Amino acid sequence: MRRSIFEEELFKFKKVPFKKDDMAWQKKLLKGSLNGSYGSVQPKKLFDRRVTFKMSYSRKLRSHNKYLNYYMQQKNKDEVMDKPVLWGSDLSEYEAKKSALHFKFIISPEDDGIDIQYLTRKFILRVENLTGYKLLWEAAIHKDTAHPHAHVCINGIDATGQEIRFSKGMIKSNMREILSEISTSLIGKRNIKDIERQRREEVSAIRWTSIDEELKDSALNVHYLPARLRNRLDFLGELGLVKYKAPWFEMLPEWEEVLKSNSRYNLFMQNWKSFGYNLKQYKGEKLEGTVIKTINFDRDESWNDAIIVKDAKGENHYVPVWQLQNNLDGKHIMIDEQSSKDGFKRISGKSIVIKSRKVNFFKINEIE
């Protein structure tokens, strides 16, 4: 197997002054403070089971019908022979009270041993107990990815006729905590081996990880880094985010932004490379330029719709758009939004003002 440039350098050095102390690591882990990696995670939460949770919504009846009857049942995928079956509320009651407003959830437990249907039903019951709603909902399990997951559609009007509202706090925190607690009650808490496995998987993750938090606070000399950090740097070097000048690693100034952006929008890095590493994440500011690429999935799972805008300085901006409806390629547009506190700004189509219909042509590298 070919050695990385970092490994080659190690063989030139007789003694690496670093020795991993597993017991010390476990003590730090239990305190929730491994070099800052888990500083914001309470120890009792660190061992809870992890569940990926995503939420979207729409106010269009056409979108509601398409999502429920087409996408959830995977009628859009010919390669899926065993089509998912809807389950949940009484379907006839759901159809009778179907509204334009609907909520779409994805529930994907990290552990394969969890009964996803049971997890989903318990989750809905907990949400009903917290909110007082009598939800009308349908779900389907998709098994065509590495982790089987449930798609859940909740009608915007409950069984009693109330219009449903979920607070931001409930969506961002409570729902994830509910899923984690239920999963933990089903198969028990994570152990040290589970957490170690997660940390090993982070080495090759194309997103911001706890290892990257450690790298921010480390002196990046190849001889003084544990293997896990070296392996991560090796992988980041393959992505074009790290340069190596023996014996030091040099991170690109935008490495953190690129990884965090790709965590939110999984096509960001692909386009960052495609546009010659000239791509910035839109954070919310006045932006005027020409749309040189429209990223539209033409589906109801529109978490990743975006446009790439080239401004007058020749800089490219990746602008996430909520449920983008039209192809804007070649349009000269203007966006004026307030800056986002967390560095991520998703806008609606209403925020895009088309200034003219004159088409400006720019050379675009094809995505491999």
Side-chain angles (χ1 to χ4, degrees):
M1 183 180 293
R2 179 181 61 85
R3 293 173 181 164
S4 71
I5 54 175
F6 313 137
E7 291 173 322
E8 291 288 352
E9 181 67 20
L10 283 174
F11 285 100
K12 300 176 184 178
F13 197 82
K14 293 182 179 180
K15 184 179 179 182
V16 180
F18 176 86
K19 182 177 180 181
K20 183 177 178 180
D21 184 336
D22 289 330
M23 289 306 297
W25 181 86
Q26 290 188 28
K27 289 177 182 178
K28 288 182 178 180
L29 183 64
L30 289 168
K31 292 179 181 178
S33 59
L34 178 61
N35 292 333
S37 300
Y38 295 97
S40 62
V41 180
Q42 299 177 16
K44 63 179 181 179
K45 296 295 184 183
L46 181 62
F47 292 92
D48 285 349
R49 296 291 169 177
R50 293 153 55 95
V51 181
T52 297
F53 173 76
K54 295 182 179 181
M55 178 265 183
S56 177
Y57 74 93
S58 175
R59 293 182 177 275
K60 295 185 177 181
L61 186 59
R62 179 175 174 273
S63 175
H64 193 166
N65 288 326
K66 186 177 179 182
Y67 185 76
L68 191 68
N69 301 314
Y70 186 69
Y71 182 81
M72 286 180 65
Q73 299 181 55
Q74 293 194 306
K75 294 178 180 178
N76 60 323
K77 293 190 175 182
D78 295 335
E79 67 274 17
V80 177
M81 304 303 294
D82 188 14
K83 301 296 184 186
V85 177
L86 295 180
W87 46 272
S89 304
D90 180 80
L91 188 56
S92 60
E93 182 181 8
Y94 188 106
E95 290 288 351
K97 297 182 178 179
K98 185 187 290 182
S99 66
L101 174 64
H102 60 288
F103 302 87
K104 300 173 283 190
F105 297 164
I106 290 181
I107 297 173
S108 180
E110 182 182 75
D111 301 277
D112 296 333
I114 292 175
D115 186 329
I116 300 177
Q117 188 168 134
Y118 181 85
L119 171 64
T120 303
R121 290 185 183 278
K122 293 289 287 185
F123 168 73
I124 292 292
L125 184 60
R126 290 279 297 274
V127 172
E128 287 181 329
N129 290 337
L130 280 174
T131 61
Y133 294 129
K134 182 62 178 176
L135 299 175
L136 293 173
W137 61 281
E138 297 296 329
I141 296 177
H142 289 189
K143 301 179 180 180
D144 58 330
T145 60
H147 288 284
H149 54 279
H151 287 259
V152 183
C153 188
I154 296 179
N155 193 44
I157 303 294
D158 79 349
T160 67
Q162 292 188 76
E163 185 173 88
I164 292 173
R165 289 284 187 273
F166 294 123
S167 68
K168 289 183 178 180
M170 186 169 190
I171 294 169
K172 289 184 176 181
S173 302
N174 299 99
M175 289 184 174
R176 287 182 173 84
E177 291 175 0
I178 289 170
L179 288 165
S180 178
E181 289 170 6
I182 297 171
S183 298
T184 303
S185 70
L186 288 175
I187 62 174
K189 289 184 175 293
R190 298 196 299 168
N191 55 36
I192 296 296
K193 289 184 178 179
D194 292 325
I195 298 173
E196 281 280 22
R197 173 178 53 81
Q198 172 208 332
R199 288 163 65 82
R200 287 194 300 270
E201 292 173 352
E202 286 185 338
V203 168
S204 57
I206 311 179
R207 58 177 173 80
W208 187 258
T209 71
S210 65
I211 311 178
D212 302 307
E213 288 289 347
E214 291 182 61
L215 287 172
K216 285 178 64 176
D217 300 324
S218 301
L220 302 182
N221 184 313
V222 66
H223 302 306
Y224 293 85
L225 291 173
R228 180 166 157 273
L229 298 190
R230 292 199 307 268
N231 291 339
R232 177 61 173 172
L233 286 165
D234 196 359
F235 180 75
L236 294 178
E238 294 176 3
L239 296 178
L241 293 171
V242 177
K243 294 181 180 180
Y244 183 65
K245 295 181 180 179
W248 297 93
F249 301 102
E250 182 180 336
M251 318 298 285
L252 265 64
E254 65 268 32
W255 76 288
E256 181 174 351
E257 177 179 312
V258 170
L259 287 173
K260 288 184 175 180
S261 295
N262 206 64
S263 300
R264 288 284 190 98
Y265 315 111
N266 59 13
L267 286 184
F268 181 88
M269 180 170 288
Q270 187 178 10
N271 283 281
W272 178 69
K273 288 184 176 181
S274 174
F275 284 90
Y277 310 109
N278 174 19
L279 187 61
K280 295 183 176 181
Q281 174 68 50
Y282 180 72
K283 296 180 173 62
E285 66 270 359
K286 186 173 182 179
L287 174 62
E288 185 170 347
T290 301
V291 177
I292 55 177
K293 185 174 182 180
T294 299
I295 302 171
N296 190 302
F297 285 78
D298 191 26
R299 65 183 189 187
D300 295 293
E301 295 295 275
S302 53
W303 287 298
N304 284 318
D305 286 355
I307 55 176
I308 296 179
V309 181
K310 183 183 284 289
D311 64 19
K313 298 179 181 178
E315 294 181 338
N316 300 322
H317 302 261
Y318 188 95
V319 185
V321 184
W322 179 260
Q323 295 183 330
L324 184 61
Q325 300 297 317
N326 302 309
N327 188 317
L328 298 176
D329 287 359
K331 299 292 191 298
H332 187 77
I333 66 164
M334 193 270 284
I335 306 169
D336 194 357
E337 289 277 328
Q338 293 184 347
S339 296
S340 174
K341 292 181 180 179
D342 63 359
F344 298 96
K345 185 71 174 180
R346 192 198 304 267
I347 66 171
S348 69
K350 295 178 181 178
S351 299
I352 301 173
V353 178
I354 299 177
K355 300 289 288 185
S356 74
R357 296 189 177 276
K358 181 180 178 181
V359 178
N360 293 328
F361 294 95
F362 296 92
K363 184 177 179 180
I364 304 175
N365 297 323
E366 294 294 332
I367 296 177
E368 296 182 357

